[in-house]
Amino acid sequence: MSMPNYITPHGMKNLKKELESLLKVERPKVVATVAWAASNGDRSENADYIYGKRRLREIDRRMGFLTKRIEAAQVVDPREHKTDKIVFGATITIEGESGVAKKYQIVGEDEIDTSGGKISWKSPMAKALLGKSEGDEVCVMKPKGEEWIEIVKIEFI
């Protein structure tokens, strides 16, 4: 049995939005370009035709991937959690040894945005935080070595 594909409602909405955009906007444009290029005759040296066919394969591959991810997804709404511990979907404010506060949300693999503070529930940081409470100190392994952080706040938004 494979690992579950946990995702927040916002993440699911984004996956569906991307799939719909590919299906209803981008793919029809590329199909039209390929049809036009094919009508010009010799396809062997027709860059519009060759690139268009390649782009169609990329779009179809991405649509297949998104469809599988959406079908396998288990939507977890963070606002439904009634706990004081860190679980999937939680937004956590931490403070490192340097005294700088940072905010992270633990999300699914399809939602990762490290610059936006969204980390995968499978990441070392999330694994160290899961199950902990406000006020706990946690040792996190980072590329530069280990760092102790304190959990300042836990929210489910």
Side-chain angles (χ1 to χ4, degrees):
M1 187 172 166
S2 64
M3 298 286 280
N5 179 26
Y6 296 124
I7 193 166
T8 63
H10 181 69
M12 178 62 94
K13 179 180 152 191
N14 287 343
L15 286 183
K16 287 181 176 180
K17 185 175 164 184
E18 181 183 355
L19 179 61
E20 185 175 339
S21 174
L22 288 172
L23 182 64
K24 294 183 178 178
V25 178
E26 191 165 351
R27 193 172 195 288
K29 284 181 184 176
V30 176
V31 167
T33 301
V34 169
W36 169 80
S39 71
N40 289 335
D42 185 17
R43 297 176 187 170
S44 65
E45 294 182 16
N46 187 329
D48 286 326
Y49 180 80
I50 294 168
Y51 172 76
K53 292 293 281 186
R54 185 179 308 141
R55 183 67 186 128
L56 275 176
R57 285 191 299 273
E58 291 169 359
I59 290 170
D60 289 344
R61 216 176 1 256
R62 180 68 180 165
M63 286 173 45
F65 173 79
L66 290 172
T67 300
K68 287 178 185 175
R69 296 300 289 177
I70 289 169
E71 289 171 355
Q74 293 179 352
V75 179
V76 178
D77 191 344
R79 295 169 294 192
E80 295 177 1
H81 293 300
K82 305 289 186 226
T83 181
D84 59 348
K85 302 226 182 266
I86 297 173
V87 294
F88 179 87
T91 300
I92 307 105
T93 304
I94 62 166
E95 192 173 291
E97 295 169 346
S98 62
V100 177
K102 294 181 182 174
K103 194 178 246 190
Y104 294 103
Q105 182 182 17
I106 299 175
V107 296
E109 293 176 286
D110 299 311
E111 305 173 80
I112 299 170
D113 176 13
T114 52
S115 63
K118 293 182 183 244
I119 58 173
S120 167
W121 65 279
K122 293 181 178 181
S123 70
M125 172 74 87
K127 285 181 179 180
L129 293 171
L130 288 169
K132 304 297 188 282
S133 302
E134 282 183 21
D136 287 353
E137 289 192 8
V138 179
C139 182
V140 178
M141 289 304 298
K142 293 190 169 186
K144 295 179 183 175
E146 64 181 38
E147 179 183 1
W148 284 90
I149 58 171
E150 180 182 353
I151 301 166
V152 178
K153 187 176 184 181
I154 301 171
E155 302 172 275
F156 297 98
I157 49 177

